[in-house]
Amino acid sequence: MTERILAIESSCDETAAAVYTTEHGLMSSVLFSQTELHARFGGVIPEVASRSHIQKINGIVQEALDQAHMSLDDLTTIAVTSKPGLPGSLLVGLCFAKSLAFVKKTKLIGIDHLEGHVYSAHIENNIPFPYICLTASGGHTSLYFVEDFGTFTLIGTTRDDAAGEAFDKVAKLVHLPYPGGPVIEKLAKEAQFVDFFNYPRLKDKNLDFSFSGLKTAVLYDLVKRDAYNLQEKRFLQPDNLELKKQVSSSILVCMGDIFEQRLALALKTYPQSKALVFVGGVACNAYLKNRLATLAQRTKKQFFTPSPRYCTDNAGMIAFVAHYKAQQDKFSDLTLDIRQSR
Ligand code: KG4
Ligand code: ZN
């Protein structure tokens, strides 16, 4: 059936909306990012996030409809991220979406945020199935074997911190601003991606990740260099830009090695994979993209990654997943809750 879908995403610190139609694909994708609101706290504050979603959601939805030259009356389906995420943030989008669906008598679909990330590279590309997908963001780091639209298996995940979280925590250690990923990439480039400090790589040979030890290794390495006081929990060389560059460059190369090793193993374990796909906020990183593109080339796989606007949280990816779910007749009803699965 021909669908005209409005999708809403509010799982963390972006208020986003998008319109997707069967005829024209993605027609609009707009968002308000709360990054600046949280920057001075060095991380996302849930209460600040949900309050901001409430302030912004109406305007963002209207903007998405305007850009698509549509009104609420044109819609067949409202889609919304229903899990996982910050409960207070998810609830804002969910209540908004359910109210619209009830009043406008449209269909409703709850979407898993992680499924959104997994298929985000399809918005701009034709990707052959099956493939291996690495999702790396501030909240998640997971490997999937993806066989079709809606058919994907988790084959590895982080046992503790996410990759983006590791960047954010290391940045905080050496007094770099939040979020850490972009600034670490900038400084690492200035240091020409040299591995100065040789932080530990993952020793075990499986498809899971672990990054909390890496953060601790950086901390103790700083202590060793008289750059951090453990008792006072204080970085002692806040004006030492060279050191910040060396830490940034070393952690990024280390992350590149870890990603490359895990993905090489995944491709070996699933040799039928035709492509390697890199998604999530961390996939904005040009150095990591290059490392994985090189691995794909070496192993004769195609490589795909979304434009940065579809790597970080957005509603375009939620709308894309909602569209194939609608084609598969997988709708939700008004009892949809933030704990519910697909
Ligand atoms: O996907 P996302 O916007 O939100 C979550 O779902 O978490 O990802 C945000 C994360 C942050 O941890 C941020 O540091 C990281 O993505 N990130 C990057 C870059 N840009 C954002 N990490 C490495 N390099 C980047 N250029
Ligand atoms: Zn996300």
Side-chain angles (χ1 to χ4, degrees), residues 159 201-208 210 261-262 265:
R159 300 205 185 107
R201 276 55 173 167
L202 299 178
K203 286 191 190 71
D204 46 355
K205 300 261 177 293
N206 58 51
L207 294 177
D208 284 336
S210 168
Q261 189 270 330
R262 284 324 197 226
L265 183 59

Side-chain angles (χ1 to χ4, degrees), residues 113 117 137-139 164-165 167-168 179-182 185 280-282 284-285 311-313:
H113 179 82
H117 275 302
S137 70
E165 192 178 0
F167 285 136
D168 296 339
E185 175 172 18
V282 177
C284 292
N285 191 294
C311 284
T312 47
D313 286 350

Side-chain angles (χ1 to χ4, degrees), residues 40-325:
R40 65 196 164 105
F41 303 108
V44 177
I45 307 295
E47 186 60 30
V48 173
S50 48
R51 218 170 261 251
S52 173
H53 285 307
I54 289 172
Q55 286 167 352
K56 295 290 177 187
I57 193 163
N58 202 24
I60 288 294
V61 165
Q62 191 59 54
E63 178 71 27
L65 289 169
D66 289 350
Q67 283 189 18
H69 303 291
M70 272 195 211
S71 74
L72 287 175
D73 293 325
D74 298 320
L75 300 172
T76 54
T77 298
I78 313 276
V80 62
T81 303
S82 56
K83 70 163 200 171
L86 300 171
S89 290
L90 284 168
L91 276 173
V92 176
L94 185 82
C95 293
F96 198 90
K98 281 167 69 167
S99 308
L100 283 184
F102 177 71
V103 172
K104 291 293 170 185
K105 300 188 171 50
T106 68
K107 291 167 286 188
L108 177 72
I109 310 187
I111 304 292
D112 185 315
H113 179 82
L114 294 172
E115 186 166 349
H117 275 302
V118 168
Y119 293 92
S120 57
H122 284 268
I123 295 174
E124 303 156 299
N125 303 286
N126 267 323
I127 307 177
F129 294 111
Y131 61 81
I132 297 288
C133 175
L134 170 63
T135 303
S137 70
H140 309 276
T141 303
S142 300
L143 276 173
Y144 299 94
F145 180 58
V146 186
E147 294 174 270
D148 203 344
F149 292 114
T151 309
F152 58 108
T153 313
L154 182 71
I155 57 171
T157 193
T158 179
R159 300 205 185 107
D160 38 60
D161 292 351
E165 192 178 0
F167 285 136
D168 296 339
K169 285 183 173 174
V170 167
K172 204 170 176 176
L173 273 183
V174 293
H175 286 201
L176 290 172
Y178 171 86
V183 60
I184 283 178
E185 175 172 18
K186 181 174 164 283
L187 295 184
K189 191 172 178 192
E190 286 169 20
Q192 284 150 351
F193 308 114
V194 170
D195 184 9
F196 295 91
F197 301 147
N198 193 24
Y199 298 134
R201 276 55 173 167
L202 299 178
K203 286 191 190 71
D204 46 355
K205 300 261 177 293
N206 58 51
L207 294 177
D208 284 336
F209 298 89
S210 168
F211 296 113
S212 67
L214 183 56
K215 188 210 131 185
T216 312
V218 174
L219 175 68
Y220 281 99
D221 188 74
L222 288 169
V223 171
K224 200 180 76 189
R225 292 171 201 285
D226 292 327
Y228 199 92
N229 184 320
L230 265 187
Q231 276 76 40
E232 296 172 15
K233 292 195 173 137
R234 199 160 59 83
F235 182 50
L236 301 172
Q237 300 185 20
D239 300 324
N240 188 346
L241 183 61
E242 258 337 283
L243 179 62
K244 292 181 190 189
K245 284 184 187 177
Q246 290 169 350
V247 169
S248 299
S249 194
S250 304
I251 184 109
L252 188 52
V253 175
C254 180
M255 191 66 80
D257 285 352
I258 293 172
F259 280 1
E260 189 182 322
Q261 189 270 330
R262 284 324 197 226
L263 280 160
L265 183 59
L267 290 172
K268 212 168 154 188
T269 313
Y270 296 85
Q272 65 274 52
S273 304
K274 297 189 175 117
L276 199 160
V277 177
F278 183 29
V279 301
V282 177
C284 292
N285 191 294
Y287 171 82
L288 294 172
K289 270 193 275 198
N290 274 336
R291 291 285 305 262
L292 296 188
T294 306
L295 169 69
Q297 208 175 21
R298 200 168 66 230
T299 50
K300 299 192 170 43
K301 310 289 178 191
Q302 293 186 62
F303 179 72
F304 299 94
T305 186
S307 306
R309 63 193 300 247
Y310 301 123
C311 284
T312 47
D313 286 350
N314 66 89
M317 65 187 192
I318 303 303
F320 181 88
V321 171
H323 185 255
Y324 70 69
K325 287 219 176 296

